[in-house]
Amino acid sequence: YRFRLKQIDMDGSFTYSDEVEVKFSVKTFSFEQNYPNPFNPTTTVEFSLPEKCNVNIEILNVLGERIASLINEVKEAGHFRAEWNAEGLASGIYFCKIIASTLSGSKDYIFIKKMLLMR
């Protein structure tokens, strides 16, 4: 990420600082609650990976049946987001399930978040 600051003086004049670059690394796995929630018809889920993983994100109905697959691929370490469009589906509760498996097979991260689609 890069940023710079803008200083505004009392007379309305302004100056910008030099650009600063910030690098960060993800230390732990996280899977955030979707937003907005409740949603209509699109929502976003975010997740972070501390290392390269095979990631599978699915949307399930209340019966546990797969409705959609958002991601099914290998991802590098970092922060990611995926969007789901529930156009054409009925209002109700859905679940977002993530399975992230390290390529070494040493760890599996499995989480499920509840989402509410309101028409």
Side-chain angles (χ1 to χ4, degrees):
Y1 291 97
R2 294 183 190 157
F3 71 93
R4 61 184 180 167
L5 301 177
K6 180 179 181 180
Q7 177 181 327
I8 303 173
D9 294 330
M10 297 298 277
D11 64 1
S13 63
F14 59 89
T15 57
Y16 288 100
S17 69
D18 293 335
E19 195 171 87
V20 177
E21 185 172 344
V22 178
K23 294 183 181 183
F24 71 94
S25 62
V26 176
K27 303 276 190 236
T28 61
F29 177 85
S30 71
F31 182 51
E32 306 300 326
Q33 183 66 48
N34 67 301
Y35 64 88
N37 192 29
F39 66 98
N40 178 23
T42 61
T43 189
T44 302
V45 293
E46 294 187 9
F47 61 98
S48 297
L49 304 172
E51 60 185 291
K52 190 173 186 178
C53 291
N54 184 25
V55 178
N56 184 0
I57 298 180
E58 296 179 337
I59 306 298
L60 310 171
N61 65 13
V62 292
L63 300 175
E65 300 167 332
R66 185 177 65 188
I67 301 300
S69 180
L70 301 184
I71 295 176
N72 189 11
E73 62 189 57
V74 174
K75 295 274 191 189
E76 297 291 332
H79 186 77
F80 304 92
R81 68 174 46 119
E83 189 173 288
W84 179 48
N85 187 336
E87 190 68 40
L89 293 175
S91 294
I93 296 173
Y94 293 87
F95 298 94
C96 186
K97 176 182 177 183
I98 185 170
I99 301 173
S101 305
T102 59
L103 297 184
S104 64
S106 62
K107 280 192 176 178
D108 285 339
Y109 303 98
I110 303 172
F111 288 94
I112 298 175
K113 299 282 185 176
K114 182 168 65 170
M115 307 182 298
L116 180 59
L117 172 60
M118 292 183 69
R119 298 275 180 203

